[in-house]
Amino acid sequence: MERTKIKDHAMRIAALLTLITLGLVTGCSSVSVNSDQSSQLVTAQAPISSGYLLSTQPKMQAMAHWDLLADKVARNCGKALDHFFPEQDVRVYVAPLGTTPFAKAYREALLTHLIDYGVPVAFAPEGAAVLEANLGLVTHRRVLDKTSKGLRRAPEPGFRQAKNSAGHYVPVPEIGEESGYFDAPTPDSEVQINSALVHQGAYLYRDSSIFYVSSPDWAHYQPQTPQGGVELKRYSLVN
């Protein structure tokens, strides 16, 4: 009897140590699925985060980059006019975009490329299609996942658990995400530049392009507030 009690006590201690070990492993590594249960239904209290498929995004840091965007927008505006008004010469008026370096340079580049593509450009908006643009700036405070071993395991992006033809849950596919990709010096600031060609209350063409930008270059895109206070003077009329 005493030997049985000692054996049961030892088994309980072993089970407890196993649970503690699993907890430590889970805490040090990323979320993963137990491979022994991958053919069974796996649940979670919230969607498990995963990375996106590796991709790139251009970084704007030269006037030549602004010119490339203007060339693309002007070319597509010409195609839109040919599509909607094949028998008419609809003029395009490029609306003022602002006073920042980007706004002024982008408008001038749009004018030049529209003419290059044979689009008639108007000096006033009356009766013309209007090409307008706006932008939004975003700065991220990124939280990047890292592991002590340099590699984390995560469910494949876009995976949704389902049953196969035999009625069994399919194994959860896992991928390795190298922490080096998360450590790359990715800019923390982005700009979305929206360009739209509008005519008679309808969009003929629209483009939304996203680029990385350096934080010190924000003054190229965002109007700056006056430095210091503004002195106000009060005047009154007396007889």
Side-chain angles (χ1 to χ4, degrees), residues 125-172:
E126 288 76 19
V130 177
L131 177 56
E132 55 192 19
N134 62 73
L135 57 84
L137 291 165
V138 176
T139 295
H140 301 281
R141 299 185 63 181
R142 301 186 190 279
V143 178
L144 304 181
D145 293 332
K146 301 177 183 178
T147 64
S148 58
K149 295 183 180 180
L151 179 69
R152 76 173 201 151
R153 306 295 300 179
E156 183 177 312
F159 171 75
R160 294 182 65 88
Q161 195 171 27
K163 290 184 178 181
N164 57 22
S165 58
H168 301 124
Y169 288 100
V170 298
V172 179

Side-chain angles (χ1 to χ4, degrees), residues 198-233:
V198 182
H199 184 57
Q200 295 180 349
Y203 285 112
L204 303 182
Y205 166 73
R206 184 172 172 82
D207 176 82
S208 293
S209 297
I210 301 175
F211 306 92
Y212 284 128
V213 294
S214 297
S215 296
D217 290 342
W218 271 37
H220 297 335
Y221 304 92
Q222 190 174 44
Q224 299 299 297
T225 56
Q227 298 295 323
V230 179
E231 183 180 356
L232 299 178
K233 293 184 178 180

Side-chain angles (χ1 to χ4, degrees), residues 7 17-18 40 48 75 106 122 142 154 165 167-168 175 190 225:
K7 184 177 181 181
L17 290 175
T18 301
Q40 301 177 13
I48 299 175
R75 179 175 66 253
Y106 186 52
R142 301 186 190 279
S165 58
H168 301 124
I175 60 172
E190 296 178 286
T225 56

Side-chain angles (χ1 to χ4, degrees), residues 69 123 128 137 172 174 180 190 236 238:
L69 177 62
F123 290 96
L137 291 165
V172 179
E174 290 187 342
E190 296 178 286
S236 61
V238 296

